[in-house]
């Protein structure tokens, strides 16, 4: 094996990216064999050659091989698989994890700490549920809460804080241990539970809302407690965002007013 060929082979390997080198299945073994060969040739040259220049080139050659061999032993750290229990929803095949899931992965929090809601969120759910039952909706509708799952298709599984189903749609045979596979008439969401820290997920609310409307839900209501705002999206109408001091219609002219309720309860002044 000529010196020129050896150096050419080393430079060829050196030109590969780090990730490519790490993915060569037999690269480590190849380097070890090549290293042994060079060491034998180098020992022979040291004993027989009288050319300082040639000996210098072999030393450089040997140093490059040792460096590459050490790199070949480095393995890229595998990205830990995120447990299914941390998946809040799936939209278009993309999993959206619970807000705070990174703290669970780093063992700073436990799963239950990020899955629960705040007392304000619980109060809002309780108030809206009371508003629903106060208007005797349950005669014709099934009213579910507790993040009922909504299976649209194999790439879309959503969670809803409150979902109002028509009994003619959510028939008894549809009530089982699986997610609902029929659309709710009205869906109400209290704040965003999913982690949307990725800039690509900035349109999460609109994507989820449109998925529900496309599936057949007639109205989607979002309550954003941090801003005191309500988003109302209905089939065939412009979406409206308003302050939560305004009345919001649930169904058939029945309304609720969040700020009025919070003031009556002394929660806000």
């Amino acid at each position: 094996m000529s010196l020129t060929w050896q150096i050419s082979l080393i430079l060829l390997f050196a030109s590969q990216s780090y990730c490519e080198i790490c993915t060569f299945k037999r690269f480590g073994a190849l380097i070890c064999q090549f290293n042994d060969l060079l060491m034998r040739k180098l020992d022979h040259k040291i004993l027989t050659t009288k050319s300082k220049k040639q000996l210098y080139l072999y030393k450089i050659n040997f140093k490059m091989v040792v460096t590459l061999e050490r790199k070949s032993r480095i393995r890229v750290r595998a990205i830990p698989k995120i447990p299914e229990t941390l998946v809040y929803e799936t939209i278009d095949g993309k999993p959206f994890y619970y807000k705070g899931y990174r703290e669970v992965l780093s063992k700073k929090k436990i799963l239950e700490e990020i899955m629960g809601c705040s007392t304000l969120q619980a109060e809002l759910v309780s108030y809206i549920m009371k508003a629903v039952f106060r208007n005797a909706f349950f005669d014709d509708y099934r009213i579910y809460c507790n993040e009922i799952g909504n299976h649209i298709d194999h790439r879309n599984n959503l969670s809803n804080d409150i979902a109002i189903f028509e009994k003619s749609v959510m028939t008894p045979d549809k009530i089982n241990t699986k997610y609902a596979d029929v659309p709710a008439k009205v869906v109400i969401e209290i704040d965003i539970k999913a982690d949307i820290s990725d800039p690509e997920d900035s349109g999460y609310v609109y994507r989820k809302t449109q998925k529900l409307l496309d599936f057949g839900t007639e109205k989607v209501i979002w309550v954003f407690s941090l801003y005191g705002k309500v988003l109302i999206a209905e089939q065939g109408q412009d979406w409206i965002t308003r302050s939560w001091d305004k009345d919001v219609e649930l169904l058939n002219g029945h309304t609720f007013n969040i700020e009025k309720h919070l003031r009556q309860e002394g929660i806000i002044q």
Side-chain angles (χ1 to χ4, degrees), residues 125-189:
V125 171
S126 174
Y127 164 63
I128 295 172
M129 291 292 289
K130 288 178 182 177
V132 172
F133 286 109
R134 185 170 58 246
N135 291 291
F137 283 174
F138 51 86
D139 290 339
D140 301 310
Y141 299 96
R142 302 188 193 279
I143 298 93
Y144 299 140
C145 59
N146 195 33
E147 292 188 358
I148 176 174
N150 201 328
H151 175 70
I152 296 178
D153 55 47
H154 72 285
R155 290 171 53 82
N156 293 277
N157 288 294
L158 310 181
S159 293
N160 303 141
D161 288 332
I162 301 173
I164 303 174
F165 292 86
E166 292 178 302
K167 286 186 177 180
S168 60
V169 176
M170 181 61 77
T171 53
D173 62 294
K174 294 287 186 181
I175 301 175
N176 48 48
T177 58
K178 301 178 181 179
Y179 279 11
D181 59 2
V182 293
K185 189 175 183 68
V186 178
V187 168
I188 303 169
E189 296 288 341

Side-chain angles (χ1 to χ4, degrees), residues 164-231:
I164 303 174
F165 292 86
E166 292 178 302
K167 286 186 177 180
S168 60
V169 176
M170 181 61 77
T171 53
D173 62 294
K174 294 287 186 181
I175 301 175
N176 48 48
T177 58
K178 301 178 181 179
Y179 279 11
D181 59 2
V182 293
K185 189 175 183 68
V186 178
V187 168
I188 303 169
E189 296 288 341
I190 312 296
D191 293 327
I192 300 172
K193 311 295 192 309
D195 180 273
I196 56 172
S197 55
D198 187 335
E200 293 183 359
D201 299 330
S202 58
Y204 163 81
V205 169
Y206 302 103
R207 287 177 64 186
K208 179 176 179 177
T209 302
Q210 193 61 57
K211 283 290 179 186
L212 291 167
L213 294 176
D214 291 343
F215 188 47
T217 298
E218 294 183 11
K219 180 187 291 186
V220 180
I221 300 172
W222 282 87
V223 178
F224 302 107
S225 62
L226 181 62
Y227 307 103
K229 300 293 182 182
V230 179
L231 170 66

Side-chain angles (χ1 to χ4, degrees), residues 29-74:
L30 179 60
I31 284 295
C32 289
Q33 294 173 9
F34 193 42
N35 185 18
D36 292 340
L37 178 60
L38 283 180
M39 288 179 67
R40 289 195 297 270
K41 292 182 69 66
L42 180 58
D43 291 339
H44 176 72
K45 285 291 179 180
I46 291 174
L47 295 174
T48 60
T49 186
K50 295 182 179 180
S51 170
K52 293 183 180 180
K53 181 178 180 180
Q54 191 175 13
L55 180 59
Y56 177 72
L57 287 174
Y58 270 98
K59 288 182 178 180
I60 294 177
N61 197 346
F62 177 73
K63 184 177 181 180
M64 290 175 66
V65 171
V66 172
T67 302
L68 282 174
E69 183 183 356
R70 288 174 179 171
K71 282 189 177 182
S72 71
R73 295 174 183 172
I74 299 174

Side-chain angles (χ1 to χ4, degrees), residues 68-92:
L68 282 174
E69 183 183 356
R70 288 174 179 171
K71 282 189 177 182
S72 71
R73 295 174 183 172
I74 299 174
R75 295 292 182 266
V76 177
R77 180 178 296 177
I79 299 175
K81 184 178 180 180
I82 300 176
E84 291 288 335
T85 52
L86 290 176
V87 177
Y88 175 66
E89 292 177 314
T90 303
I91 301 179
D92 293 328

